[in-house]
């Protein structure tokens, strides 16, 4: 039986002129932040070997931080390096969807023990359906756990886009509802892989957790995210 059509999906049609105008305005006014400078691979710490892969979109790439040490990769590696000899690699690019990341990782050689993924925002803005998103995420997790040998995948939740300061209403509501649908599918996919854990990072209402563009995390938010991801990796 097909799922009932949600209110936001019904209202998209009459709201289309407003949504289109707001989307154009957001793109025109958006502050374009670069990906931070710094290494995207390396080795740090002492202890048992841990091969770590971080993959995804602009948030995985660290947009909103000035350098990689202040981004997800930097905080995560520093936290794990207290317990392991971390050999890490960052495969992330602004604008990447799940499809883009899957294609990128299919060209990647090597084996990894742990991985953190961050995807979904670009799938939302490109109108990827929940069915297609879950199919692609299933393929991505299958590739990570089989071809790349990952034993623990931390699957970061699709962000709550209705809370992005840069998005006006009703655009924020419509994108937020679609993001929630994709995240529900993501939870279901993660539950079918024993190696995967869905990570929902609920940030408090603190302006300091948003980057100046109102769209990406700040270094303070990246630290909270990295701490939560490190805890899930260490549990494995």
């Amino acid at each position: 039986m097909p799922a009932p059509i949600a209110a936001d999906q019904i209202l998209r049609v009459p709201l289309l002129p407003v949504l289109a105008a707001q989307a154009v305005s957001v793109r025109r006014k958006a502050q374009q932040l670069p990906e931070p400078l710094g290494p995207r691979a390396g080795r740090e710490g002492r202890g048992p070997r841990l091969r770590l892969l971080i993959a995804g979109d602009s948030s995985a790439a660290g947009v909103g931080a000035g350098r990689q040490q202040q981004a997800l990769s930097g905080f995560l590696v520093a936290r794990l390096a207290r317990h392991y000899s971390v050999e890490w690699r960052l495969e992330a690019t602004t604008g990447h969807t799940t499809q883009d990341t899957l294609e990128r990782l299919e060209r990647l050689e090597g084996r990894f023990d742990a991985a953190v993924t961050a995807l979904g925002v670009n799938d939302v803005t490109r109108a990827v359906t929940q069915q297609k998103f879950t199919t692609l995420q299933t393929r991505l997790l299958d590739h990570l756990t089989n071809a790349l040998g990952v034993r623990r995948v931390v699957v970061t939740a699709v962000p709550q886009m209705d809370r992005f300061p840069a998005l006006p209403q009703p655009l924020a509501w419509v994108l937020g509802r679609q993001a929630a649908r994709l995240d529900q599918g993501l939870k279901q996919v993660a539950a079918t892989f024993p190696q995967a854990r869905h990570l929902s990072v609920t940030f408090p209402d603190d302006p300091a957790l948003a980057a100046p563009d109102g769209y990406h995390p700040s270094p303070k938010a990246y630290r909270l995210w990295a701490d939560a991801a490190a805890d899930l990796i260490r549990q494995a």
Side-chain angles (χ1 to χ4, degrees):
M1 181 177 180
I5 300 176
D8 63 287
Q9 293 173 312
I10 296 172
L11 291 173
R12 281 182 198 177
V13 175
L15 287 174
L16 188 57
V18 175
L19 298 174
Q22 289 185 334
V24 170
S25 177
V26 167
R27 291 193 189 98
R28 186 175 64 248
K29 297 177 181 178
Q31 183 178 356
Q32 300 296 324
L33 299 180
E35 295 182 5
L37 300 174
R40 291 187 169 232
R43 177 181 295 178
E44 187 173 336
R46 298 180 64 181
R49 183 189 189 194
L50 179 70
R51 297 165 297 179
L52 172 68
L53 174 66
I54 304 166
D57 56 22
S58 56
S59 62
V63 172
R67 49 196 176 93
Q68 286 295 341
Q69 290 88 339
Q70 299 172 308
L72 174 65
S73 65
F75 286 127
L76 181 58
V77 171
R79 172 76 182 273
L80 292 173
R82 301 174 191 172
H83 310 280
Y84 308 97
S85 176
V86 184
E87 299 174 12
W88 64 278
R89 185 181 184 97
L90 175 62
E91 295 286 340
T93 298
T94 298
H96 268 197
T97 62
T98 302
Q99 179 72 58
D100 297 324
T101 300
L102 176 60
E103 292 173 358
R104 180 174 185 160
L105 297 186
E106 286 175 341
R107 299 189 296 268
L108 182 65
E109 296 181 357
R111 304 279 285 184
F112 298 88
D113 302 302
V116 177
T117 63
L119 290 159
V121 168
N122 298 308
D123 295 272
V124 171
T125 59
R126 298 188 193 182
V128 174
T129 65
Q130 185 190 53
Q131 181 178 3
K132 182 176 180 181
F133 181 72
T134 56
T135 297
L136 289 169
Q137 284 286 335
T138 300
R139 289 175 55 195
L140 177 63
L141 284 175
D142 182 70
H143 183 72
L144 286 167
T145 56
N146 287 305
L148 298 182
V150 178
R151 294 178 292 169
R152 169 66 85 214
V153 186
V154 176
V155 182
T156 306
V158 181
Q160 297 172 304
M161 295 183 69
D162 55 314
R163 297 182 64 190
F164 285 10
L167 298 178
Q169 296 293 354
L171 181 63
W173 174 67
V174 170
L175 295 181
R177 293 307 305 151
Q178 180 64 4
R181 272 190 293 275
L182 295 196
D183 191 54
Q184 185 59 39
L186 187 61
K187 288 179 183 177
Q188 294 170 358
V189 171
T192 65
F193 287 84
Q195 306 93 329
R197 293 293 182 273
H198 179 274
L199 173 61
S200 181
V201 184
T202 304
F203 295 129
D205 289 322
D206 181 356
L209 294 173
D213 66 353
Y215 203 79
H216 289 93
S218 69
K220 184 177 180 180
Y222 279 125
R223 182 189 291 275
L224 294 175
W225 179 5
D227 286 346
D231 287 342
L232 287 180
I233 292 172
R234 291 204 64 213
Q235 287 174 15

